[in-house]
Amino acid sequence: MRKLLTALFTFGVIFISAGQSLNQYKYILIPETYEFTGEVDQYRLNSMTKFLFEKEGFNTLMKTEDKPADLKQNPCLGITTKLENNSGIFVTKLVLKLEDCYGNVVFTSKEGRSREKDFEVAFQEALREAFESIKKLDYLYDSSASISANIPQPKQVEIEEEPEAEEEVEEDIQEIIEEESEIILEEDTESYESEEGVNRYRYAGKIYSLNETEEGYGLYQENASEPIAILIETEGGKSFIYNSLTNQGIAYFDSQDNLIVEYFSRQENKKVLVKYELVD
């Protein structure tokens, strides 16, 4: 019991110090491709990173997007996401890192792990576990603490495991975090829904709605509380990164405002084009 309290106290101190450090950054910059992946948004890691940060109240930008005026003037308002792949033969391992405008690592998450055999499932599970470190930060941007490009480089803050914490202590903490994350997920999925300006589409005899979000759109089947896919804006809104539970590709609107989705089907081993027709 004493070790459990010691571990909880230590983790709490670490999370608080890291949270205070990140509060001075206004933007999270996310690359469209990580160093260990060979394709844009491979395994949906990049879009999932954006989604998870948005859920925790961070203002995110894909690195290819046009930067806001304040970020252009002061690049140190933003920090860049990095994913470190430490995977072995049997276990997928990811560590989430954040780098400041000087290239210094200012945040390192705990290592997320997965023993799933499917690469996409494994990488996503490991990312979600690594992201538990972010959830505990209680991030809130503090403009009075913002970093300017001409001040000394900030000190690195890392999330490290408590050496004296035993395996059962970590499991207890993980169970608590998982319970909290389920509650957060149920609450935050509602943020994708919008009562106004919702376009309706028909595909395969079913009705879908396209709800605008800060990063693009959420595609919902009628009466569903969670999106079946998310569309992340690129190229100034001319096209979108399309991500569903089973497929990833691109999406865009045709001249009649129908939603067109293109992706490569591994099961059919061919390119698939889906047309969601706008309902008048």
Side-chain angles (χ1 to χ4, degrees), residues 51 184-193 220 225-227:
F51 173 71
I184 293 174
L185 180 60
E186 291 177 359
E187 294 176 348
D188 287 319
T189 50
E190 296 178 0
S191 65
Y192 277 91
E193 300 182 13
Y220 292 79
S225 60
E226 298 183 13

Side-chain angles (χ1 to χ4, degrees), residues 122-260:
F123 277 121
Q124 291 181 14
E125 185 176 283
L127 176 59
R128 286 186 179 276
E129 185 173 330
F131 215 86
E132 297 297 338
S133 301
I134 298 291
K135 289 184 177 182
K136 304 300 291 185
L137 297 180
D138 194 23
Y139 167 81
L140 181 63
Y141 173 61
D142 182 2
S143 59
S144 64
S146 296
I147 294 180
S148 298
N150 58 354
I151 69 171
Q153 301 177 4
K155 183 179 179 181
Q156 176 176 340
V157 178
E158 293 191 1
I159 299 293
E160 297 181 353
E161 297 180 358
E162 168 61 33
E164 297 181 359
E166 299 179 351
E167 186 174 346
E168 61 265 27
V169 175
E170 295 180 353
E171 292 177 353
D172 290 339
I173 296 173
Q174 184 62 32
E175 289 177 0
I176 296 173
I177 293 175
E178 289 176 354
E179 292 176 359
E180 293 179 350
S181 64
E182 290 177 359
I183 296 174
I184 293 174
L185 180 60
E186 291 177 359
E187 294 176 348
D188 287 319
T189 50
E190 296 178 0
S191 65
Y192 277 91
E193 300 182 13
S194 174
E195 295 297 330
E196 299 180 358
V198 178
N199 292 329
R200 288 160 54 84
Y201 297 84
R202 180 180 291 106
Y203 171 70
K206 297 179 180 179
I207 298 297
Y208 297 83
S209 63
L210 197 60
N211 296 13
E212 189 170 0
T213 66
E214 292 184 0
E215 64 267 30
Y217 295 93
L219 182 62
Y220 292 79
Q221 188 171 333
E222 191 173 32
N223 299 323
S225 60
E226 298 183 13
I228 65 168
I230 56 175
L231 282 67
I232 299 175
E233 183 175 330
T234 62
E235 299 182 8
K238 295 180 180 179
S239 64
F240 301 83
I241 297 174
Y242 172 87
N243 284 294
S244 70
L245 293 175
T246 56
N247 299 301
Q248 61 182 26
I250 63 171
Y252 54 90
F253 298 100
D254 64 13
S255 58
Q256 285 78 43
D257 289 331
N258 299 309
L259 176 64
I260 308 299

Side-chain angles (χ1 to χ4, degrees), residues 17-29 57-60 70-71 74-80 98-107 139-148 151-157:
S17 62
Q20 290 173 340
S21 174
L22 295 188
N23 287 346
Q24 58 196 328
Y25 300 103
K26 187 176 182 180
Y27 300 100
I28 299 288
L29 305 178
F58 289 85
N59 191 355
T60 67
D70 58 348
L71 183 58
N74 180 12
C76 289
L77 287 175
I79 44 178
T80 300
L98 297 175
E99 291 186 357
D100 65 8
C101 59
Y102 299 102
N104 295 322
V105 177
V106 296
F107 176 86
Y139 167 81
L140 181 63
Y141 173 61
D142 182 2
S143 59
S144 64
S146 296
I147 294 180
S148 298
I151 69 171
Q153 301 177 4
K155 183 179 179 181
Q156 176 176 340
V157 178

